[in-house]
Amino acid sequence: MTYDTQTLIAALDAIIEKAKSVKRGDSVEWNSSGGKARGKVTKVITSGSEPVPGSSFTITGTKEDPGALIRLYRPNSDGKYESTDTIVGHKISTLTKIPALD
């Protein structure tokens, strides 16, 4: 599959704009194997790698394609969300910013 230069530039611009819009403290959601997952960004990685606490994984990030560490939130019996002890890592390009969870 080949792409023209304009298409690649537009795709990169979209990733960079999304990266600028998601910051530490933002609530986000993403697709997971069990449906939509939600959480709060605890760290944005724009250079190098960071270990994902409690796992054997690392998340890498660059200025052009940042990664994020996210504290997972789960719905409680009232339908509101509360934080868990679980931290996950995702690329910012896979996240969607949502209204604050708490």
Side-chain angles (χ1 to χ4, degrees), residues 62-101:
T62 64
K63 197 170 189 177
E64 295 79 21
D65 190 18
L69 293 176
I70 306 154
R71 179 169 302 279
L72 186 64
Y73 275 55
R74 296 254 189 239
N76 62 23
S77 59
D78 297 338
K80 296 182 180 181
Y81 282 82
E82 54 189 35
S83 67
T84 69
D85 292 334
T86 303
I87 304 287
V88 297
H90 283 282
K91 289 291 192 172
I92 284 184
S93 58
T94 67
L95 306 174
T96 301
K97 198 169 168 179
I98 60 172
L101 292 168

Side-chain angles (χ1 to χ4, degrees), residues 37-66:
R38 292 182 171 184
K40 187 179 283 189
V41 176
T42 61
K43 185 170 188 176
V44 175
I45 298 100
T46 58
S47 176
S49 299
E50 286 279 332
V52 177
S55 78
S56 60
F57 296 101
T58 59
I59 184 75
T60 60
T62 64
K63 197 170 189 177
E64 295 79 21
D65 190 18

